[in-house]
Amino acid sequence: MEIENIIKTQKMPDHARTVINVIYTAHEIENRITDAVKPYDISIPQFNVLRILKGRKGQPANLCTIQERMIARMSNTTRIIDRLIDKGLVRRKQCPQNRRKVEIFITPEGLELLDRASTAVTAVEKEITDRLTPREIEDLNTALTRLRSQKP
Amino acid sequence: MEIENIIKTQKMPDHARTVINVIYTAHEIENRITDAVKPYDISIPQFNVLRILKGRKGQPANLCTIQERMIARMSNTTRIIDRLIDKGLVRRKQCPQNRRKVEIFITPEGLELLDRASTAVTAVEKEITDRLTPREIEDLNTALTRLRSQKP
DNA sequence: GTACAATTATTGTATGTACAAATGTATAGA
DNA sequence: TCTATACATTTGTACATACAATAATTGTAC
């Protein structure tokens, strides 16, 4: 459905319509992913942290390492980790080389839950992107990257 | 910059890359808009509520009317309105025909602030969308609308 | 007309986000 | 060594979001 009909507004100029379309679509997709991970009792940021930790393949990660890999810049990684610790999905340890840092590890339970949740998320991603041809997908990614590019 | 480089991950399959690209780009744009309205001491949802009320051209709006026009479905319009009332940008009145409902009005101060904030937001929207040609804008909007379309 | 269901808004609780301040640790320079 | 500065994380506060529960009012079936 056209974005104007969804938010019940009149025809908008291109700049407004496009920006609102990107934002609205992203929220819709996030809602779908939230639903997909809900059975595993985690939120999207918690899921992303687990995914980042898995990507480290056994190596621990500091808070700042996690932060710079997050999809949505979060202003408080500490509290996201707190909740993962409460659930036993992650462990925290002071870094011995540099005691300002903390090392975050994913636990076997965390890895196991992540695998199951990832399957659900991938299914959502595929269902959404399968609505476009590979060529359209490519053009969409290019356009989004251009939208983000620095002002000349 | 490519999305993989931004979140420092390896090459991702198309479905993941595209979904993350949409979400990441939307967050970036929202951050820009947040900055644009910050001088006026309002948040994006507050700005959206004001814009919806202005669109009613003097007619009041109920909470549910506002809710169905919001870009990001909000689970609590009541508290957004509370903050606008605190700032004197909006007034609340019980609807006489149906006392379950409340009527929300924008005040002259609200209209005035909205006009100034809108100018800043429009500037951001234009700066972002000017990076694409009209044809690319059109294709982007089409692609986003298709991403949201119901499963066949 | 009363009982029950539906509608509309508010409130409560948990989580997430933005930003600023505080804490603890490390490092560089006098 | 002492001190200033930078770094890494934590804590506090305000606001937003998700979801469930509640309250008040209205609509409907009998």
Side-chain angles (χ1 to χ4, degrees), chain B residues 2-18:
Chain B
E2 298 291 327
I3 191 70
E4 278 95 343
N5 299 327
I6 293 175
I7 64 169
K8 304 187 196 228
T9 185
Q10 294 155 349
K11 187 126 185 60
M12 287 181 279
D14 264 356
H15 56 86
R17 184 160 58 101
T18 306

Side-chain angles (χ1 to χ4, degrees), chain B residues 122-141:
Chain B
T122 298
V124 169
E125 288 172 350
K126 283 196 178 145
E127 194 220 298
I128 291 171
T129 53
D130 277 357
R131 293 166 188 162
L132 299 183
T133 66
R135 175 56 192 272
E136 288 169 329
I137 292 278
E138 219 28 62
D139 290 347
L140 171 59
N141 277 293

Side-chain angles (χ1 to χ4, degrees), chain B residues 67-85:
Chain B
Q67 202 135 2
E68 69 186 9
R69 282 152 210 249
M70 290 295 285
I71 293 158
R73 291 279 165 274
M74 68 181 68
S75 48
N76 221 317
T77 323
T78 301
R79 289 185 267 237
I80 309 285
I81 303 288
D82 285 345
R83 274 157 219 133
L84 291 171
I85 289 175

Side-chain angles (χ1 to χ4, degrees), chain A residues 38 62-64 76 78-79 92 100 102:
Chain A
K38 193 166 297 172
N62 310 316
L63 277 194
C64 51
N76 221 316
T78 301
R79 290 185 268 238
R92 180 158 31 199
R100 282 174 302 190
V102 280

Side-chain angles (χ1 to χ4, degrees), chain A residues 65-82:
Chain A
T65 307
I66 294 175
Q67 203 135 3
E68 69 185 8
R69 282 153 210 249
M70 289 297 284
I71 293 159
R73 290 282 166 274
M74 69 178 71
S75 46
N76 221 316
T77 322
T78 301
R79 290 185 268 238
I80 309 284
I81 303 287
D82 285 345

